[in-house]
Amino acid sequence: MGNLSFDVTRDELIEAFGAAGKVVDAKVPTDRETGRPRGFAFVEFESDEAAQKSIELLNGRDLKGRPLRVNEAENRPPRAPGGPPFRPSFRAGPPSYSSPSEFVPMDDRGRPFKNKGSRRNIRRRKRGFD
């Protein structure tokens, strides 16, 4: 069901949907960061007939000031294993090098040189300032 008021509890859902048939379980998903309900819920019935009856009885009915949108839950599409694709973060600092053959010269801020540098820096190195 959707369009659920944020202050509806699991027990209130069981009570409201109990009129349609025997409720086995009710789940109100919450947001991971805030802990607040996400505005929808899942109600599991003992029989398919009770589930269909709840759709007919409660779809559009007000619960705590909001009209419910009651429908049958759909299966989620399969997700790729391992979560979202890897995106490296370059905020952690310069890369670490495991062997001396991979040594890359660093600038005064500890970052690897991308090229030989500006003409000014090249002249400074020739003069011995760096």
Side-chain angles (χ1 to χ4, degrees), residues 1 11 17 32 42 44 47 50 64 74 91:
M1 82 179 65
D11 295 330
F17 280 82
R32 290 181 192 165
F42 298 99
E44 188 178 338
S47 67
K64 289 208 171 182
E74 299 174 10
R91 297 179 186 166

Side-chain angles (χ1 to χ4, degrees), residues 43-90:
V43 178
E44 188 178 338
F45 290 92
E46 193 172 59
S47 67
D48 291 337
E49 293 82 25
Q52 288 300 322
K53 187 176 176 185
S54 73
I55 292 172
E56 294 167 8
L57 286 176
L58 299 171
N59 193 25
R61 183 176 146 206
D62 273 14
L63 182 65
K64 289 208 171 182
R66 296 186 78 163
L68 294 178
R69 188 179 65 244
V70 182
N71 55 5
E72 193 171 339
E74 299 174 10
N75 289 331
R76 293 176 83 178
R79 293 172 57 177
F86 176 71
R87 296 175 109 180
S89 173
F90 296 105

Side-chain angles (χ1 to χ4, degrees), residues 9 17-18 21 24 28 30 35 57 60 65 67 76 78 93 103-104 115 124 130:
T9 64
F17 280 82
V24 175
V28 182
T30 56
L57 286 176
R76 293 176 83 178
F103 177 74
V104 174
N115 55 23
R124 290 181 71 198
D130 206 18

